[in-house]
Amino acid sequence: MHAPSPPARTRPRFVVPALVAGVLAMLAGGTGVAGGFRATAAKPPDKPGKAVDVERFEVTVRDARIITAGALGLGTGTQRFLAVRLRVANKGDDSASLGLGGLTAGIAARTKDGKWLRPDAVDGVAAGSRTDAVQPGMAVEATAKWRMGPADAPRTFTVGLRKWEKRPGFTDTDVTWRPEPEDDKLEERVTLAVAGA
């Protein structure tokens, strides 16, 4: 008679799950180093000086500075503004306003709380004279201005440019140039150092 053979050694049941967990931990650690599974961040802001095609206009953001100028509207005296200099070329076949219904609707600045605000005013200069419009095939030097409080002194300023397209409005069925209204679909964002801050 033979002696009973010793029972076969079996691996503990936790070895396979432990191996799988170890491999997953290594993969997760690698993806953590590589940036994780999060959605890729939005495109970082561009630097100034690049011409941006927004269909109706070609806009080059030049620089930003704090200025003092005459108060807007019915105000008197002077007021502080954050002013962004732009070169604006009209790519359309009709005159385009720099103010309401024109370029102003296609520019926005980011506030500290993440909101995008249109400029309070846009001034233009063409051939040494003031203008409030840009003609087809022509370019103007423009200054977009946002009102500032007495203590505001940002070191950087982010400007967003909206893409324009010909389409009917919500209540207006005329097909005309209109800017993209959604802030998360800005065509370009440019972050500027603020001079005079």
Side-chain angles (χ1 to χ4, degrees), residues 63-137:
D63 56 37
R65 63 185 59 248
I66 296 172
I67 63 169
T68 302
L72 300 175
L74 301 174
T76 58
T78 59
Q79 190 167 7
R80 292 175 77 228
F81 294 93
L82 207 149
V84 174
R85 288 188 322 130
L86 314 158
R87 181 187 183 276
V88 181
N90 183 350
K91 295 181 58 190
D93 54 9
D94 58 343
S95 178
S97 169
L98 293 175
L100 294 176
L103 182 69
T104 299
I107 299 177
R110 189 177 181 122
T111 62
K112 286 181 187 175
D113 58 1
K115 293 181 182 172
W116 291 91
L117 297 177
R118 290 183 183 176
D120 295 301
V122 178
D123 302 326
V125 175
S129 299
R130 289 189 58 145
T131 183
D132 59 0
V134 56
Q135 302 307 319

Side-chain angles (χ1 to χ4, degrees), residues 46-197:
D46 274 335
K47 294 180 180 176
K50 172 185 155 191
V52 179
D53 182 356
V54 291
E55 298 301 325
R56 186 176 195 188
F57 303 102
E58 183 179 85
V59 181
T60 304
V61 179
R62 297 195 189 278
D63 56 37
R65 63 185 59 248
I66 296 172
I67 63 169
T68 302
L72 300 175
L74 301 174
T76 58
T78 59
Q79 190 167 7
R80 292 175 77 228
F81 294 93
L82 207 149
V84 174
R85 288 188 322 130
L86 314 158
R87 181 187 183 276
V88 181
N90 183 350
K91 295 181 58 190
D93 54 9
D94 58 343
S95 178
S97 169
L98 293 175
L100 294 176
L103 182 69
T104 299
I107 299 177
R110 189 177 181 122
T111 62
K112 286 181 187 175
D113 58 1
K115 293 181 182 172
W116 291 91
L117 297 177
R118 290 183 183 176
D120 295 301
V122 178
D123 302 326
V125 175
S129 299
R130 289 189 58 145
T131 183
D132 59 0
V134 56
Q135 302 307 319
M138 303 295 286
V140 301
E141 294 298 319
T143 303
K145 300 187 296 189
W146 287 264
R147 287 186 183 102
M148 294 179 64
D152 292 338
R155 294 184 184 280
T156 61
F157 193 67
T158 300
V159 177
L161 302 174
R162 300 181 191 285
K163 185 161 230 159
W164 291 73
E165 61 181 26
K166 281 196 169 182
R167 58 182 164 77
F170 184 69
T171 57
D172 176 9
T173 57
D174 290 341
V175 175
T176 187
W177 283 110
R178 300 176 196 277
E180 171 60 58
E182 296 180 45
D183 292 337
D184 61 349
K185 293 187 178 176
L186 290 166
E187 182 67 14
E188 200 76 44
R189 297 171 193 210
V190 181
T191 298
L192 306 158
V194 178

